[in-house]
Amino acid sequence: MSKLRITSWLSPSTYSSSSTKTDAEGKKQPQHRRSLSMFRRGEPEANATKIVATSTPAQSSTVPPSRMVVLAQQITKETEKLETYMRDNNLPMPSFDVDAPADFPKLPEDILKSRQEIIRATKELNLLALGPRESLRWGVWEFLDILALQVISHFGIAKLFPADSTITLSELEAKTSLDPINLARLLRLIMTKGIFCEPSHGVIAHTAASRLLAEDADMEAWIGFNLEDIFPASAHVLEAIKTYPEATSLTQSGFCFAFDTVDKEPMFVTFGKDPNRARRMGRAMVSLTGGEGYEVSYFVNVEGGGYDLSDVDAAGGTFVDIGGSHGFVCVDLATRYKNIKFVVQDLPKTVDSAPKPICADPQAADRIAMLAHDFFTPQVTKGADVYYFRWIIHNYSTPYAIKILQNLIPALKPGARIVINDHCLLEPGQENSWDESVMRRMDVVMLTLLNAQERTEAEFRQLFKDASDGFFFKGVTRPKGCRMSIIEAVWQPKDNALVEKADAIHATDATNEAAVAPMPTAG
Ligand SMILES: C[S@@+](CC[C@H](N)C(=O)[O-])C[C@H]1O[C@@H](n2cnc3c(N)ncnc32)[C@H](O)[C@@H]1O
């Protein structure tokens, strides 16, 4: 952990004049930050279900029920709908029991809406029942639940006894180096969140959630990455943004303040030096991308609103996955499209550690090349049809993101498509409330780790515009049920000089086809 940098807190000189502008009121406004228009209020909540107030017999016909009663009625109605669906389909009911399923099955759209409505309405009712003062007073203590989970998870307590048996606290104490008093107090705190239970005094049992801690290695990694990397970093965001209010540099984030790497190295470099931490983050990403609303199938399945590559397939074209990790998106695409050639680009260490062959099906594997390429250098795979970024652009503030897009330009043929697969933030209240909270939290995770951000459609449009006038912004689509959007631009340079220059590069560059032709499988 870094020491507090009190001297830099006191210095207002960290505002760089080149990167600030003055607004109408004379206040300095940092550039490269998102526009604040999204914080305008007053729009109707698009996803809020219209509630028809109905009087109960106890109420006078002129007095409408309170918001609390309306919410309670709505919770009952939607819960009954969900329960009927589960019962009719012989599905197990949600429960904390150790044997309860860890996930809901894929629900039809209307039932999924009921489930989302239950989540939204119970949260609102909870806040109303608490009242503003109590919800503020005790809401700020939620980090203590997180702290308890951090310690219990770090010490691997869930793995110390089998899921189908109980253990006494004294037996558990003998199996861990965690101090007995701390073990008991932290366990009992996370029990209030449905993680472990104490069926009788001093006897500990698993719940469905604690069983996941014991058995799901990707979930364990997700919790470790969040609670041992992001959580400490989040405690330093205030210090970071007080010291560097513009908050765009990769080496001045809360993460850098927490781990003493300010102005030294970005998070990815820190992780690169620590294989265990890097592996944990990799597994955490697997847990995230396997999670509801993030599956790769949303991008691949055209029928569900995914991205259509049939014309690229018909032409035997090329798809480049930039920062594509171990190429799992291309593996899925190569299974669907039989003629597209794929290039997965990532940093050398990632390319080297990719599975060889990249997948079991040789028809797909033979068309997927792994290539070491740093996206902060000019693109080397020239003349491809699609350049794809999944979970990349949101890792960078605007100055870096512009650079990444500009690095494509020397490789682009007219008509080349640039496809970004990221969250695309809507106006407040336009998203269902669960999705909105996940996406806005992700936005703050990006700030915490990398001084980066999620973006709105207008911000993506502006990003392409700032990168070059040659990018024609086509718009944003989003498969139903998916949290990630597909943001697309096409390279259409209006300037003839630019077209001729690009044509000349493509005509003469020996690597144009060669970069994708030999297809060395997996690095
Ligand atoms: C958040 S992960 C996204 C991986 C993958 N696209 C996905 O959807 O899961 C970011 C990826 O970018 C890679 N990366 C980071 N910096 C890079 C750079 N300068 N050039 C190329 N790849 C980079 C990382 O190694 C990692 O695989």
Side-chain angles (χ1 to χ4, degrees), residues 13-69:
S13 65
T14 47
Y15 256 136
S16 139
S17 59
S18 65
S19 56
T20 59
K21 60 183 180 184
T22 306
D23 71 4
E25 296 159 15
K27 287 188 209 128
K28 283 193 165 179
Q29 295 291 323
Q31 289 178 338
H32 309 313
R33 302 297 298 159
R34 70 161 47 101
S35 82
L36 295 181
S37 60
M38 61 189 300
F39 297 114
R40 261 184 293 122
R41 282 279 170 192
E43 303 288 334
E45 192 172 327
N47 283 302
T49 310
K50 278 225 161 60
I51 298 159
V52 181
T54 51
S55 325
T56 62
Q59 290 165 324
S60 132
S61 57
T62 54
V63 181
S66 71
R67 179 73 183 150
M68 289 202 300
V69 168

Side-chain angles (χ1 to χ4, degrees), residues 262-277:
V262 176
D263 291 333
K264 291 182 195 152
E265 61 189 29
M267 181 194 77
F268 285 126
V269 175
T270 308
F271 281 3
K273 293 175 178 167
D274 184 341
N276 288 335
R277 239 167 141 191

Side-chain angles (χ1 to χ4, degrees), residues 243-308:
T243 312
Y244 301 106
E246 187 175 281
T248 57
S249 168
L250 280 173
T251 60
Q252 294 168 349
S253 65
F255 181 91
C256 298
F257 276 82
F259 295 105
D260 206 12
T261 55
V262 176
D263 291 333
K264 291 182 195 152
E265 61 189 29
M267 181 194 77
F268 285 126
V269 175
T270 308
F271 281 3
K273 293 175 178 167
D274 184 341
N276 288 335
R277 239 167 141 191
R279 214 170 297 121
R280 181 169 69 187
M281 184 188 163
R283 288 203 88 137
M285 289 303 116
V286 172
S287 172
L288 172 69
T289 50
E292 283 181 41
Y294 292 111
E295 297 93 332
V296 173
S297 55
Y298 282 113
F299 182 78
V300 177
N301 292 342
V302 180
E303 301 73 22
Y307 192 76
D308 192 355

Side-chain angles (χ1 to χ4, degrees), residues 323-325 328 346-347 350 373-376 390-392 395-396:
S325 188
F328 52 90
D346 210 294
L347 295 174
T350 310
H373 171 65
D374 176 350
F375 49 59
F376 285 111
R390 183 172 188 270
W391 287 136
I392 300 297
N395 289 335
Y396 296 98

